[in-house]
């Protein structure tokens, strides 16, 4: 789950990390009014769930005399990497002496979390990571003992001009890691961590990603969920307790179990086609889920045939069959629909389908070959 900058900033602040004061504006007049209240200066920042806003023109410094209304209108009319700008975070202006970078991230290759620090923070950090990786320090974190403070202290003492700043940086690093751990994040990033004219460190931009799998344990984080992050299909799927991911091919898939769903995607690719989606209806027997799943798939104009692959364990094939019948009665299933049904109560399920003139395969390879030939027949 991705957080907007203003949401991330509120979490940083809750963890004792200094951030500039800011307010949200959803229209240009409100943004201009906030700037006016702060003596005609401030920063207008597009709130989108992607980085690189500065380079795209989505961050504008407003100084006395600048037309805040015009700038706010321009940014609110922008689309940054396909994300329409619907809100501005209007912050007080900070005078920057130098920009640093600090983050804690799950590093899947290193199989641990890492604190990443660089004295070359700011908008060019991606280029620096690519061209001068030695400028970016990676500090692996032991999950049992936490941050290696001795090593971090040495890094900060060489990176900052004074012991006081190194001490501040260490306090920020500690709080970033505490936030990362306590809120089950996969990323907490501050870029830039700015050294201000007053000689203090401030988090001028923040990016937080929370591990979706932890949300069940952390209901207090639900308030940060943003509908902008999800497609309509993904929202409907979650409401219906289905795991759904769009994949872009033309073979629609409805499967019970995540592992079987992955294996089904692999086999479709093996036979030369592309799955339209990953969809796991879960292990329980619930006819309604079949109806919800088919409803979502039928909205995708790219789907030219559907494969339903059920291996009944806890899932009962007769419940699935009833769901298929319900779906056929309530929906217009306009593409070929191939069913593979095996496991608990499969004979009963097959009979229910057979009564309605529907055939179900037992062999998965046969079912996949069939659904692919049907897709090719419908749209060669
Ligand atoms: P990003 O491009 O999406 O990472 O957006 P940022 O929030 O990091 O802003 C981009 C750049 O704008 C920063 O790297 C800063 O150089 C600059 N910037 C942001 N806020 C301020 C501010 O308060 N004062 C000054 N002088 N520059 C700022
Ligand atoms: Mn930034």
């Amino acid at each position: 789950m991705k957080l907007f900058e203003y949401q991330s900033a509120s979490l940083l602040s809750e963890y004792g990390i200094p951030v500039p004061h800011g307010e949200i504006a959803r229209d240009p007049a409100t943004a201009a009014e906030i700037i006016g209240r702060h003596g005609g200066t401030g920063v207008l920042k597009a709130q989108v769930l992607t980085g690189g806003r500065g380079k795209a023109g989505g961050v504008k410094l407003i100084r006395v005399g600048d037309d805040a209304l015009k700038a706010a209108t321009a940014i609110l009319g922008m689309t940054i990497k396909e994300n329409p700008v619907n809100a501005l975070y209007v912050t007080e202006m900070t005078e920057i002496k130098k920009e640093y970078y600090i983050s804690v991230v799950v590093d899947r290759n290193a199989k641990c979390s890492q604190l990443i620090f660089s004295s070359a923070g700011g908008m060019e950090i991606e280029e620096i990571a690519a061209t001068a990786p030695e400028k970016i320090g990676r500090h692996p974190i032991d999950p049992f003992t936490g941050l290696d403070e001795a090593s971090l202290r040495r890094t900060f003492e060489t990176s900052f001009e004074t012991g006081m700043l190194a001490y501040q940086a260490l306090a920020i690093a500690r709080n970033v890691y505490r936030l990362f751990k306590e809120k089950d994040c996969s990323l907490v990033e501050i870029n830039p961590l700015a050294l201000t004219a007053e000689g203090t460190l401030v988090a001028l931009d923040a990016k937080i990603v929370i591990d979706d799998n932890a949300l069940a344990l952390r209901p207090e984080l639900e308030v940060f969920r943003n509908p902008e992050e999800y497609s309509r299909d993904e929202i409907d799927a979650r409401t219906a307790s289905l795991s759904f991911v769009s994949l872009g091919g033309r073979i629609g898939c409805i499967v019970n179990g995540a592992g079987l769903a992955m294996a089904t995607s692999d086999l479709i690719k093996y036979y030369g086609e592309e799955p339209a989606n990953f969809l796991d209806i879960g292990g329980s027997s619930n006819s309604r889920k079949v109806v919800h799943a088919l409803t979502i798939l039928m909205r995708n104009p790219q789907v030219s045939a559907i494969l339903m692959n059920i291996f009944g364990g806890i899932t009962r094939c007769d419940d699935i069959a009833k769901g298929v019948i319900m779906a056929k009665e309530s929906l217009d299933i306009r593409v070929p629909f191939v069913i593979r049904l095996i496991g608990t109560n499969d004979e009963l399920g097959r009979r229910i389908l057979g009564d309605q003139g529907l055939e179900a395969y037992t062999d998965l390879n046969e079912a996949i070959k069939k659904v692919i030939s049907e897709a090719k027949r419908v749209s060669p």
Side-chain angles (χ1 to χ4, degrees):
M1 186 172 88
K2 294 178 186 172
L3 271 54
F4 281 117
E5 177 196 12
Y6 76 94
Q7 298 172 316
S8 304
S10 80
L11 273 178
L12 292 187
S13 180
E14 194 183 307
Y15 277 78
I17 299 162
V19 295
H21 171 79
E23 292 174 54
I24 280 290
R26 296 188 189 276
D27 57 86
T30 308
E33 183 268 320
I34 298 167
I35 294 283
R37 257 195 281 125
H38 291 87
T41 73
V43 187
L44 302 178
K45 310 184 80 177
Q47 295 301 284
V48 281
L49 296 171
T50 181
R53 297 165 306 162
K55 286 195 169 170
V59 175
K60 186 106 177 69
L61 306 185
I62 304 293
R63 302 181 194 283
V64 177
D66 289 348
D67 190 339
L69 191 66
K70 195 174 154 200
T73 307
I75 301 177
L76 280 166
M78 289 173 66
T79 297
I80 300 177
K81 297 180 192 165
E82 295 179 6
N83 297 273
V85 180
N86 296 320
L88 293 176
Y89 191 39
V90 186
T91 69
E92 62 189 345
M93 170 95 78
T94 306
E95 204 183 313
I96 303 177
K97 274 176 73 182
K98 186 168 166 52
E99 298 186 319
Y100 300 86
Y101 173 100
I102 187 166
S103 69
V104 175
V105 58
V106 174
D107 185 321
R108 289 173 197 280
N109 290 324
K111 299 192 177 74
C112 66
S113 302
Q114 291 189 338
L115 184 139
I116 302 174
F117 176 78
S118 177
S119 298
M123 292 196 286
E124 304 302 327
I125 193 76
E126 267 100 15
E127 286 70 10
I128 291 165
T131 56
E134 73 283 354
K135 289 191 176 163
I136 293 173
R138 295 175 172 269
H139 304 259
I141 301 170
D142 182 315
F144 295 106
T145 55
L147 290 179
D148 181 352
E149 293 208 3
S151 135
L152 272 183
R153 190 185 299 266
R154 277 194 300 278
T155 300
F156 292 152
E157 277 170 357
T158 52
S159 303
F160 291 96
E161 275 179 26
T162 66
M164 193 59 194
L165 283 174
Y167 180 83
Q168 272 184 40
L170 191 60
I172 289 171
R174 234 179 246 142
N175 287 329
V176 166
Y177 181 57
R178 197 162 56 85
L179 163 58
F180 175 88
K181 217 170 46 172
E182 290 182 3
K183 301 296 184 197
D184 280 308
C185 304
S186 53
L187 172 73
V188 177
E189 181 186 75
I190 300 174
N191 184 38
L193 175 68
L195 172 60
T196 68
E198 294 80 38
T200 59
L201 295 174
V202 177
L204 280 198
D205 182 20
K207 197 166 170 182
I208 292 180
V209 181
I210 292 168
D211 182 348
D212 288 294
N213 296 310
L215 287 169
L217 300 173
R218 309 226 178 270
E220 80 274 13
L221 295 175
E222 274 300 325
V223 297
F224 290 121
R225 198 189 283 283
N226 299 301
E228 290 88 339
E229 185 175 355
Y230 309 95
S231 68
R232 177 183 167 201
D233 288 350
E234 285 166 337
I235 291 170
D236 287 355
R238 193 178 32 246
T239 311
S241 304
L242 306 166
S243 303
F244 175 88
V245 183
S246 294
L247 294 174
R250 61 172 182 164
I251 308 291
C253 298
I254 301 175
V255 186
N256 71 315
L260 188 60
M262 305 265 245
T264 305
S265 291
D266 285 351
L267 265 177
I268 290 171
K269 281 172 174 278
Y270 176 79
Y271 284 112
E273 268 293 338
E274 293 292 328
N277 64 280
F278 170 101
L279 196 159
D280 170 15
I281 60 168
S284 71
S285 292
N286 184 340
S287 308
R288 293 232 136 260
K289 285 193 174 181
V290 177
V291 179
H292 284 301
L294 279 165
T295 307
I296 292 169
L297 259 57
M298 274 302 88
R299 283 205 299 248
N300 181 351
Q302 271 188 21
V303 168
S304 36
I306 294 176
L307 171 69
M308 183 152 116
N309 180 18
I310 304 297
F311 191 97
I314 300 170
T315 305
R316 288 170 30 183
C317 293
D318 53 322
D319 286 329
I320 295 292
K322 283 178 205 151
V324 170
I325 303 300
M326 264 164 67
K328 276 205 78 113
E329 282 165 1
S330 57
L331 300 171
D332 172 26
I333 301 175
R334 53 174 167 74
V335 299
F337 183 36
V338 176
I339 306 166
R340 184 259 186 157
L341 201 59
I342 194 169
T344 309
N345 290 2
D346 56 353
E347 274 181 26
L348 181 54
R350 221 179 302 281
R351 206 173 322 132
I352 293 169
L353 292 174
D355 287 347
Q356 303 290 322
L358 291 166
E359 192 198 348
Y361 287 78
T362 51
D363 184 274
L364 179 55
N365 285 279
E366 293 306 313
I368 289 181
K369 284 190 229 167
K370 174 72 174 170
V371 77
I372 290 176
S373 74
E374 287 293 310
K376 287 187 172 145
R377 187 174 60 77
V378 176
S379 47

